[in-house]
């Protein structure tokens, strides 16, 4: 490849690599399946609308600053949770995000816990009707559920909730008989039917956890192919969506038997995460208690960090899929968070972050642009050499290398800033794509969600014409701005001597306009503003070189 366009081609290769990089090759594999005791698997029942299903059983209300819902007294399960702080869409009057739903609904999603033993008839099950100490659970008012079997064995379940998304469930059994028996406790999360996923390679959705200190991730497809289990597990595990998480956190210093699997019931797939505590011999007159912690809510990074520290939940922030470049992505998120807290707008935070990165990369960029400008000024001399030796490629390369050496030109110097820019660009893409803090975050004007694509389209004149173009024609103003800056950068760079290659390069901005139209608009704003600053810096340095007579 000719040296005068090597920089541009390499830059485009890096850009395309940025767009398609798949960041999950590093994920560890789950341990092979192991046999566990009898499982609690929900049967698929008749399907009802959610509101109708909620009326079928007696319930106690849940009300916190972040969510509302109810606990089903039949089985004592968590199967009704709405995140009132988050709406399904940006528009006014949009309903709250629904996280948990009864198993009688189309996509049941529930959490529960209970007891196991050799004589299962002694223990409460999914049909047990518990008695509640009050009608409402809140951060100020815990609830105690009670049930006594026919032998007088007392089961109590004390449920507490904080002001965010963490439940603490204390399970206590008191042996009031004259006999001894063995008990173990269990907790599970069950999803009925395949959940809706976004199907992006750079985003994990499915089972997730940090088990024995290692990040574990399994898609729903993986779960259908094979189950996974560990007999002595510590940590946390659950199901993750793009922005939401349900997770079981066993009692600290208790090793549990954990299993993640998919089964079929009634023609529907059921995805389940569960664990069992070690067996305990309960003698006459003795009590035994175990504490479960349950997270059900939004994956707010600062909140997950606080839980990791205060609740000693190992690497809880990995519930957010920061990916391969975690070491860069998470610090970049915190820089954005600090800027947003100061300015009050993530859009302007992105613009200021772009300026800061340009300042950090200025020494590299200065060297790069000086090299590119020098090559552009000396382009006529290089073209003459190519014409002179067009029939002798080896001699042409030798003369060009001698020419570069004589004029102190490094053809690869123009690529230096592209490498850190690539990493920063991909890290910002991950931040915008996976952080709930960016969800529905407005900028100004028509940009009301920096995590979504630009909602305008050139094909209806950006909303002036009264129709909505199909998805593949949603090419907004910001992607067009980004394509225009790319075109200007090409014009300011040394041009390929091959006419065919030059025409191909001219098509690249059009290709990137279409490609960028589906990306989060916050990323397109970053890339556009970065290009504008690059153009300004390159133009100033070019003028300075011309004045010096380079």
């Amino acid at each position: 490849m000719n040296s005068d366009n090597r920089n541009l081609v390499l830059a485009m290769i890096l850009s395309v690599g940025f767009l398609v990089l798949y960041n999950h090759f590093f994920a560890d594999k789950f341990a092979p399946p192991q046999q566990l005791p009898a499982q609690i698997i929900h049967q698929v029942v008749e399907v009802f609308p959610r509101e109708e299903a909620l009326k079928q059983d007696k319930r106690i209300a849940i009300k916190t600053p972040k969510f509302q819902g109810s606990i089903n007294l039949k089985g004592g399960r968590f199967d009704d949770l709405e995140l009132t702080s988050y709406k399904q869409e940006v528009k006014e009057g949009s309903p709250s995000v629904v996280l948990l739903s009864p198993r009688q609904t189309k996509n049941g999603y529930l959490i529960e816990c209970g007891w196991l033993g050799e004589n299962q008839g002694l223990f409460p099950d999914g049909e047990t009707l518990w008695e509640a100490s009050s009608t409402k659970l809140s951060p100020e008012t815990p609830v105690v559920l009670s049930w006594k079997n026919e032998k007088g064995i007392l089961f109590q379940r004390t449920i507490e909730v904080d002001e965010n998304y963490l439940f603490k469930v204390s399970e206590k059994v008191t042996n009031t008989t004259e006999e001894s028996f063995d008990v173990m406790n269990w907790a599970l999360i069950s999803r009925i039917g395949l959940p809706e996923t976004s199907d992006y390679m750079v985003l994990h959705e499915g089972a997730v956890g940090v088990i024995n200190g290692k990040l574990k991730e399994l898609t729903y497809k993986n779960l259908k192919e094979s189950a996974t289990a560990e007999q002595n597990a510590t940590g946390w595990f659950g199901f993750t969506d793009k922005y939401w998480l349900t997770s079981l956190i066993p009692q600290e210093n208790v090793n549990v038997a954990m299993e993640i699997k998919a089964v079929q019931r009634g023609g529907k797939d059921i995805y389940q995460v569960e664990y069992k505590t070690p067996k305990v011999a309960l003698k006459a007159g003795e009590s035994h208690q175990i504490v479960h912690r349950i997270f059900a809510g939004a994956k707010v990074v600062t909140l997950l960090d606080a839980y990791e520290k205060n609740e000693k939940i190992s690497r809880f922030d990995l519930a957010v899929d920061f990916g391969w470049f975690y070491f860069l992505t998470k610090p970049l998120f915190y820089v954005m968070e600090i800027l947003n807290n100061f300015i009050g707008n993530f859009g302007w935070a992105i613009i200021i972050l772009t300026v800061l990165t340009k300042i950090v990369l200025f020494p590299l960029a200065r060297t790069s642009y000086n090299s590119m400008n020098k090559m552009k000024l000396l382009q006529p001399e290089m073209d003459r050499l190519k014409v002179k030796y067009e029939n002798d490629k080896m001699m042409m390369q030798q003369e060009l290398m001698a020419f570069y050496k004589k004029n102190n030109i490094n053809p690869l110097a123009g690529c230096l800033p592209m490498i850190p820019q690539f990493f920063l660009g991909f890290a910002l893409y991950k931040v915008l794509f996976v952080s709930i803090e960016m969800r529905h975050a407005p900028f100004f004007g028509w940009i009301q969600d920096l995590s979504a694509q630009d909602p305008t389209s050139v094909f209806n004149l950006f909303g002036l014409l009264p129709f909505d173009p199909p998805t593949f024609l949603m090419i907004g103003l910001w992607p067009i701005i980004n394509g225009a800056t790319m075109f200007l950068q090409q014009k300011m760079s040394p041009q390929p001597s091959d006419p065919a290659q030059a025409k191909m390069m001219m098509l690249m901005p059009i290709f990137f306009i279409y490609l960028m139209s589906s990306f989060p608009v916050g990323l397109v704003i970053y890339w556009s503003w970065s290009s504008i600053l690059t153009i300004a810096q390159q133009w100033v340095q070019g003028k300075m070189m011309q004045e010096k007579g380079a």
Side-chain angles (χ1 to χ4, degrees), residues 251-287:
Q251 184 171 307
E252 194 176 357
N253 300 322
V254 174
N255 289 358
V256 300
M258 177 276 302
E259 188 171 10
I260 306 173
K261 61 188 176 185
V263 297
Q264 272 214 339
R265 292 290 186 275
K268 296 191 77 172
D269 293 315
I270 299 177
Y271 303 91
Q272 195 153 293
V273 174
E274 63 181 63
Y275 72 80
K276 295 179 181 65
T277 61
K279 186 183 295 184
V280 173
L282 193 62
K283 296 180 181 179
E286 290 186 341
S287 296

Coordinates of all heavy atoms in Angstrom, one line a residue, residues 251-287:
Q251 N -26.1 -15.6 52.6 CA -25.6 -15.0 53.9 C -24.0 -15.1 53.9 O -23.4 -16.1 53.4 CB -26.1 -15.9 55.1 CG -25.7 -15.4 56.4 CD -26.4 -16.1 57.5 OE1 -27.7 -16.2 57.5 NE2 -25.7 -16.7 58.5
E252 N -23.4 -14.1 54.4 CA -21.9 -14.0 54.4 C -21.4 -15.2 55.2 O -21.9 -15.6 56.2 CB -21.5 -12.7 55.0 CG -20.0 -12.4 54.8 CD -19.7 -11.0 55.4 OE1 -20.6 -10.3 55.9 OE2 -18.5 -10.6 55.3
N253 N -20.3 -15.7 54.6 CA -19.5 -16.9 55.2 C -20.3 -18.2 55.2 O -20.0 -19.1 55.9 CB -19.1 -16.6 56.7 CG -18.2 -15.3 56.7 OD1 -17.4 -15.1 55.9 ND2 -18.4 -14.5 57.8
V254 N -21.4 -18.3 54.3 CA -22.1 -19.5 54.1 C -21.9 -20.0 52.7 O -22.2 -19.3 51.7 CB -23.6 -19.3 54.4 CG1 -24.4 -20.6 54.0 CG2 -23.8 -18.9 55.8
N255 N -21.3 -21.2 52.6 CA -21.1 -21.8 51.2 C -22.4 -22.5 50.9 O -22.9 -23.3 51.6 CB -19.9 -22.8 51.2 CG -18.6 -22.0 51.4 OD1 -18.5 -20.8 51.4 ND2 -17.5 -22.8 51.4
V256 N -22.9 -22.2 49.6 CA -24.1 -22.8 49.2 C -23.9 -23.7 48.0 O -22.9 -23.6 47.3 CB -25.2 -21.7 48.9 CG1 -25.4 -20.8 50.2 CG2 -24.7 -20.8 47.8
A257 N -24.9 -24.5 47.7 CA -25.0 -25.3 46.5 C -25.8 -24.5 45.5 O -27.0 -24.3 45.7 CB -25.6 -26.7 46.7
M258 N -25.2 -24.0 44.4 CA -25.8 -23.1 43.5 C -26.0 -23.8 42.2 O -25.2 -24.7 41.7 CB -24.9 -21.9 43.2 CG -25.3 -20.9 42.2 SD -24.9 -21.3 40.5 CE -23.2 -21.4 40.6
E259 N -27.1 -23.5 41.5 CA -27.4 -24.1 40.2 C -28.1 -23.1 39.3 O -29.0 -22.3 39.8 CB -28.3 -25.3 40.3 CG -28.4 -26.1 39.0 CD -29.1 -27.4 39.1 OE1 -29.6 -27.8 40.2 OE2 -29.1 -28.2 38.1
I260 N -27.7 -23.0 38.1 CA -28.4 -22.2 37.0 C -28.8 -23.1 35.9 O -27.9 -23.8 35.4 CB -27.4 -21.1 36.6 CG1 -26.8 -20.3 37.7 CG2 -28.1 -20.1 35.6 CD1 -25.7 -19.3 37.4
K261 N -30.0 -23.0 35.5 CA -30.5 -23.9 34.5 C -31.7 -23.4 33.7 O -32.3 -22.4 34.1 CB -30.8 -25.2 35.1 CG -31.9 -25.1 36.2 CD -32.1 -26.4 36.9 CE -33.1 -26.3 38.0 NZ -33.2 -27.5 38.9
A262 N -32.1 -24.2 32.7 CA -33.4 -23.9 32.0 C -34.1 -25.3 31.9 O -33.4 -26.3 31.6 CB -33.1 -23.4 30.6
V263 N -35.4 -25.3 32.1 CA -36.2 -26.5 32.0 C -37.4 -26.1 31.2 O -37.7 -24.9 31.0 CB -36.6 -27.1 33.4 CG1 -35.4 -27.5 34.1 CG2 -37.4 -26.0 34.1
Q264 N -38.1 -27.1 30.7 CA -39.4 -26.9 30.0 C -40.6 -27.4 30.8 O -40.5 -28.5 31.4 CB -39.4 -27.6 28.6 CG -38.8 -26.7 27.5 CD -39.4 -27.0 26.2 OE1 -40.0 -28.0 26.0 NE2 -39.4 -26.0 25.3
R265 N -41.6 -26.6 30.9 CA -42.9 -27.0 31.6 C -44.0 -26.4 30.7 O -44.1 -25.2 30.5 CB -42.9 -26.4 33.0 CG -42.0 -27.0 34.0 CD -42.3 -28.5 34.3 NE -41.4 -29.0 35.3 CZ -40.3 -29.5 35.1 NH1 -39.8 -29.6 33.9 NH2 -39.5 -30.0 36.1
G266 N -44.9 -27.3 30.3 CA -46.1 -26.8 29.5 C -45.7 -26.2 28.2 O -46.4 -25.2 27.8
G267 N -44.6 -26.6 27.6 CA -44.2 -26.0 26.4 C -43.5 -24.7 26.5 O -43.1 -24.1 25.5
K268 N -43.2 -24.2 27.7 CA -42.5 -22.9 27.9 C -41.2 -23.2 28.6 O -41.1 -24.1 29.4 CB -43.3 -22.0 28.7 CG -44.6 -21.5 28.0 CD -45.3 -20.4 28.7 CE -44.6 -19.1 28.4 NZ -45.3 -17.9 28.9
D269 N -40.2 -22.4 28.2 CA -38.9 -22.5 28.9 C -39.0 -21.7 30.2 O -39.5 -20.6 30.3 CB -37.8 -21.9 28.0 CG -37.6 -22.7 26.8 OD1 -37.5 -23.9 26.9 OD2 -37.4 -22.1 25.7
I270 N -38.4 -22.3 31.3 CA -38.2 -21.6 32.6 C -36.8 -21.5 32.9 O -36.1 -22.5 32.9 CB -39.0 -22.4 33.7 CG1 -40.5 -22.5 33.3 CG2 -38.8 -21.7 35.0 CD1 -41.3 -23.3 34.3
Y271 N -36.3 -20.3 33.1 CA -34.9 -20.1 33.4 C -34.8 -19.8 34.9 O -35.6 -19.0 35.5 CB -34.4 -18.9 32.6 CG -34.5 -19.1 31.1 CD1 -35.7 -18.6 30.5 CD2 -33.5 -19.7 30.4 CE1 -35.8 -18.8 29.1 CE2 -33.7 -19.9 29.0 CZ -34.9 -19.5 28.4 OH -35.0 -19.7 27.0
Q272 N -33.9 -20.5 35.6 CA -33.9 -20.4 37.0 C -32.5 -20.3 37.6 O -31.6 -21.0 37.2 CB -34.6 -21.7 37.6 CG -35.0 -21.5 39.1 CD -36.2 -22.4 39.4 OE1 -37.3 -22.1 38.9 NE2 -36.0 -23.4 40.2
V273 N -32.3 -19.5 38.6 CA -31.1 -19.4 39.4 C -31.5 -19.7 40.8 O -32.5 -19.2 41.4 CB -30.5 -18.0 39.4 CG1 -29.3 -17.9 40.4 CG2 -30.0 -17.6 38.0
E274 N -30.8 -20.7 41.5 CA -31.2 -21.1 42.8 C -30.0 -21.5 43.6 O -28.9 -21.8 43.1 CB -32.2 -22.2 42.8 CG -31.6 -23.5 42.2 CD -32.6 -24.6 42.1 OE1 -33.7 -24.4 41.4 OE2 -32.4 -25.6 42.8
Y275 N -30.2 -21.5 44.9 CA -29.1 -22.0 45.8 C -29.8 -22.7 47.0 O -30.9 -22.3 47.4 CB -28.1 -21.0 46.2 CG -28.5 -19.9 47.2 CD1 -28.6 -20.2 48.5 CD2 -28.8 -18.6 46.7 CE1 -28.9 -19.2 49.4 CE2 -29.2 -17.6 47.6 CZ -29.2 -17.9 49.0 OH -29.6 -16.9 49.9
K276 N -29.0 -23.6 47.6 CA -29.4 -24.2 48.9 C -28.3 -24.1 49.9 O -27.1 -24.2 49.6 CB -29.7 -25.7 48.6 CG -30.9 -26.0 47.7 CD -31.0 -27.4 47.4 CE -32.2 -27.7 46.5 NZ -31.9 -27.1 45.1
T277 N -28.7 -23.9 51.1 CA -27.8 -23.8 52.2 C -27.4 -25.2 52.7 O -28.1 -26.2 52.4 CB -28.3 -23.0 53.4 OG1 -29.5 -23.7 53.9 CG2 -28.7 -21.6 52.9
P278 N -26.3 -25.3 53.5 CA -25.9 -26.6 54.0 C -27.0 -27.2 54.9 O -27.7 -26.5 55.6 CB -24.6 -26.3 54.8 CG -24.1 -25.1 54.2 CD -25.3 -24.3 53.8
K279 N -27.1 -28.5 55.0 CA -28.0 -29.2 55.9 C -27.7 -29.0 57.3 O -26.5 -29.1 57.7 CB -28.1 -30.7 55.5 CG -29.1 -31.5 56.2 CD -29.0 -33.0 55.9 CE -29.3 -33.2 54.4 NZ -29.3 -34.7 54.1
V280 N -28.7 -28.8 58.1 CA -28.5 -28.6 59.6 C -29.4 -29.5 60.3 O -30.6 -29.6 60.0 CB -28.8 -27.1 60.0 CG1 -28.8 -26.9 61.5 CG2 -27.8 -26.1 59.3
A281 N -28.9 -30.2 61.4 CA -29.7 -31.0 62.2 C -30.4 -30.2 63.3 O -29.7 -29.5 64.1 CB -28.9 -32.1 62.9
L282 N -31.7 -30.1 63.3 CA -32.5 -29.3 64.2 C -33.1 -30.2 65.3 O -34.0 -31.0 65.1 CB -33.6 -28.6 63.5 CG -34.3 -27.4 64.2 CD1 -33.3 -26.3 64.5 CD2 -35.4 -26.9 63.4
K283 N -32.5 -30.1 66.5 CA -33.0 -30.9 67.6 C -34.2 -30.3 68.3 O -34.6 -29.2 68.0 CB -31.8 -31.0 68.7 CG -30.6 -31.7 68.2 CD -29.5 -31.7 69.2 CE -28.3 -32.4 68.7 NZ -27.2 -32.5 69.7
A284 N -34.8 -31.1 69.1 CA -36.1 -30.7 69.8 C -35.8 -29.4 70.6 O -34.9 -29.3 71.3 CB -36.6 -31.8 70.7
G285 N -36.7 -28.4 70.4 CA -36.7 -27.2 71.1 C -35.7 -26.2 70.5 O -35.6 -25.0 71.0
E286 N -34.9 -26.5 69.5 CA -34.0 -25.6 68.9 C -34.6 -24.8 67.7 O -35.6 -25.2 67.2 CB -32.7 -26.4 68.4 CG -31.9 -27.0 69.5 CD -30.6 -27.6 68.9 OE1 -30.6 -27.9 67.7 OE2 -29.7 -27.8 69.7
S287 N -33.9 -23.7 67.4 CA -34.3 -22.8 66.3 C -33.1 -22.7 65.4 O -31.9 -22.9 65.8 CB -34.7 -21.5 66.8 OG -35.9 -21.5 67.5

